[in-house]
């Protein structure tokens, strides 16, 4: 299989779809990899490392994708890049299918197939391909570091000759993949950690990480596939009240609550933020889907009543080395699934490929959420 790795062009994107170690493995399997020069540079992977692993280097996008059967990307291609793709190629990436109608239509018109990494089914067999999990884990980690460095205090308890410093209280809202990693990271830093979620199964996971679970009586919103479902109006009111009562006494709030295919649930009202202690920090990982906090502005930091609200976007891209290493591992596992005998086979009826295949046969397939 001829595989191309372009340089990412989406604003602020620092990851690369495959690291040199993945390229080496693909070559051992008999595949060929052509990479645009500089593709891995912002993630810390130099052209020499790729060349050493056996990749051919190309001068730009058009040359990198020429003759490619599969184009491995982190983010979806721009419209101009789509026009350079060879007919019949397959593009793999975090394509944001819900928000990329125009690009998907252009891919279809170009006769290119597209596999959205967001749509890897969350089944045990596909765990090694689960890019949402690999990237959310890093986002959860980085969110705590961002929050900790914006705090006017340290996180751990410290006993010194100059007195004892109390540990920071960290509250994680939404203890899914990102939230659980945020809890673990805040604990490692020495914080006193609590968490809230609407899925009852989460309670034990939170407690096993050494955090307290904040209960909201009567809310059990487990939806399909292990995800949460949207709360009804009375449940929403109760969740808001529970979060408001708890958030007042904490130093750092990490928001990571999401409902697939929907706007992020609003859990931290402006009044609650204003009632928090001055110097407190909110890091909102749900910023891109509208934010869990009412004051969140995606990609911006706002200060309201002495409370800093960070609208975190693209956090995996802020740790591009490990984000590329894990994302590349996900892509590699997918490629091994797509070409078990060395030749690319795109089977729309396969239970992993089927849900991921958002463009095929000149048509845009399902654009709805999982
Ligand atoms: P997600 O990003 O959709 O949601 C993040 C969290 O927000 C979830 O824990 C959800 O319950 C919570 N949430 C939603 N609405 C909320 C509200 N109103 N208030 C508070 N919390 C709210 O989901 P995710 O983190 O990608 O994954 C969630 C779960 O999916 C995992 O914990 C796991 O059970 C399952 N999962 C399974 C696999 C697998 O089997 N391969 C892989 C990954 C995840």
């Amino acid at each position: 299989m001829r595989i191309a790795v372009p340089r990412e062009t989406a604003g602020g994107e620092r990851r690369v779809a495959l690291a040199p170690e993945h390229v080496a493995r693909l070559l051992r399997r008999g595949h060929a990899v052509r990479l645009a020069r500089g593709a891995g540079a912002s993630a810390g992977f130099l052209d020499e490392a790729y060349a050493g692993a056996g990749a051919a280097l190309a001068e730009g996008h058009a040359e990198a994708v020429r003759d490619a059967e599969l184009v491995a990307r982190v983010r979806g291609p721009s419209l101009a890049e789509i026009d350079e793709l060879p007919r019949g190629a397959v593009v793999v990436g975090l394509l944001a299918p819900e928000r990329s109608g125009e690009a998907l239509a252009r891919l279809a018109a170009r006769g290119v197939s597209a596999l959205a990494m967001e749509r890897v089914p969350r089944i045990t067999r596909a765990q090694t391909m689960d890019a949402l999990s690999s990237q959310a884990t890093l986002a959860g980690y980085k969110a705590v570091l961002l929050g900790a460095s914006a705090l006017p205090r340290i996180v751990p308890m410290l006993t010194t000759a100059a007195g004892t410093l109390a540990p920071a209280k960290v509250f994680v809202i939404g203890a899914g993949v990102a939230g659980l990693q945020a809890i673990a990271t805040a604990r490692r830093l020495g914080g006193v950690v609590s968490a809230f979620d609407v899925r009852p199964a989460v309670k034990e996971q939170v407690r096993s990480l050494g955090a307290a679970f904040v209960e909201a009586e009567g809310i059990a919103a487990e939806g399909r596939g292990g995800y949460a479902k949207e709360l009804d109006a009375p449940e929403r009111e109760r969740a808001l009240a529970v979060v408001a009562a708890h958030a007042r006494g904490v130093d750092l709030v990490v928001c990571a609550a999401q409902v697939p295919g929907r706007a992020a649930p609003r859990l931290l009202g402006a009044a609650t933020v204003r009632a928090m202690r001055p110097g407190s920090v909110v890091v909102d990982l749900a910023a891109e889907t509208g934010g869990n906090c009412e004051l969140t502005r995606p990609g911006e930091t706002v200060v309201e009543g002495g409370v800093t609200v960070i609208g975190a976007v693209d956090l995996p891209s802020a740790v591009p080395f490990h984000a590329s290493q894990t994302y590349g591992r996900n892509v590699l596992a997918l490629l091994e699934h797509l070409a078990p005998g060395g030749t690319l086979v795109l089977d729309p009826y396969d239970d992993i490929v089927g849900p991921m295949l958002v463009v095929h046969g000149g048509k845009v397939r399902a654009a709805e959420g999982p």
Side-chain angles (χ1 to χ4, degrees):
M1 177 164 54
R2 292 183 301 278
I3 301 161
V5 181
R7 198 157 66 83
E8 294 297 318
T9 44
E13 183 54 69
R14 296 169 65 202
R15 293 169 288 181
V16 58
L18 292 170
E21 67 187 78
H22 308 128
V23 169
R25 196 142 138 193
L26 287 164
L27 265 86
R28 280 201 297 278
R29 298 269 154 97
H31 304 301
V33 177
R34 199 184 306 140
L35 175 117
R37 272 187 198 282
S42 49
F45 303 112
L46 299 181
D47 288 346
E48 297 80 76
Y50 284 104
L57 295 173
E59 284 315 321
H61 182 268
E63 192 188 321
V65 301
R66 185 171 39 85
D67 300 337
E69 291 165 85
L70 186 134
V71 180
R73 309 191 53 112
V74 178
R75 305 277 210 94
S78 67
L79 296 179
E81 287 170 331
I82 291 173
D83 292 343
E84 293 177 350
L85 294 173
R87 186 163 285 280
V90 179
V91 178
V92 171
L94 291 162
L95 305 176
E98 288 89 1
R99 304 193 294 269
S100 310
E102 194 184 357
L104 298 189
R106 190 84 151 238
L107 285 164
R110 183 91 193 152
V112 170
S113 296
L115 292 165
M117 288 299 285
E118 295 94 333
R119 297 280 179 88
V120 169
R122 283 177 141 181
I123 51 175
T124 310
R125 218 156 55 78
Q127 245 168 0
T128 49
M129 308 170 202
D130 186 352
L132 281 188
S133 288
S134 72
Q135 305 303 291
T137 300
L138 295 171
Y141 161 85
K142 190 70 184 178
V144 171
L145 295 197
L146 268 186
S149 50
L151 280 173
R153 54 190 300 144
I154 64 166
V155 178
M157 186 178 97
L158 208 62
T159 305
T160 75
T164 298
L165 307 178
K169 290 185 181 147
V170 182
F171 180 28
V172 176
I173 303 176
V177 178
L180 289 173
Q181 186 54 231
I183 293 171
T185 305
R187 287 274 300 152
R188 273 185 230 120
L189 281 180
V192 173
V193 186
S194 53
F196 172 72
D197 202 294
V198 292
R199 290 181 297 124
V202 172
K203 187 168 166 177
E204 273 320 302
Q205 296 166 3
V206 166
R207 287 188 174 155
S208 70
L209 289 171
F213 189 73
V214 176
E215 307 261 1
E217 246 174 71
I219 299 183
E222 180 95 41
R224 277 193 303 137
Y227 289 108
K229 60 179 187 221
E230 240 174 351
L231 303 182
D232 61 27
E235 286 173 330
R236 260 201 307 276
E237 287 305 309
R238 243 176 299 147
L240 269 169
V242 167
V243 167
H246 192 74
R248 259 168 218 169
V250 306
D251 303 294
L252 171 60
V253 179
V254 175
C255 299
Q258 301 272 7
V259 177
R262 301 256 183 278
R266 190 51 57 74
L267 289 153
L268 203 60
T272 304
V273 174
R274 290 189 194 105
M276 288 172 70
R277 288 196 289 256
S280 307
V281 174
V282 176
V283 180
D284 197 343
L285 276 178
E288 262 165 284
T289 48
N292 293 144
C293 174
E294 195 178 342
L295 298 174
T296 294
R297 291 213 212 112
E300 290 179 34
T301 296
V302 294
V303 181
E304 179 87 21
V307 179
T308 304
V309 180
I310 302 173
V313 292
D314 296 337
L315 285 195
S317 201
V319 280
F321 180 83
H322 278 139
S324 304
Q325 210 172 54
T326 52
Y327 179 77
R329 184 70 190 76
N330 299 143
V331 171
L332 183 66
L334 174 68
L335 299 193
E336 285 171 353
H337 179 73
L338 290 176
T343 312
L344 175 66
V345 183
L346 208 56
D347 175 9
Y349 299 100
D350 178 82
D351 57 358
I352 295 174
V353 172
M356 297 178 69
L357 198 54
V358 289
V359 181
H360 190 52
K363 289 199 178 67
V364 176
R365 288 157 50 97
E368 75 275 9

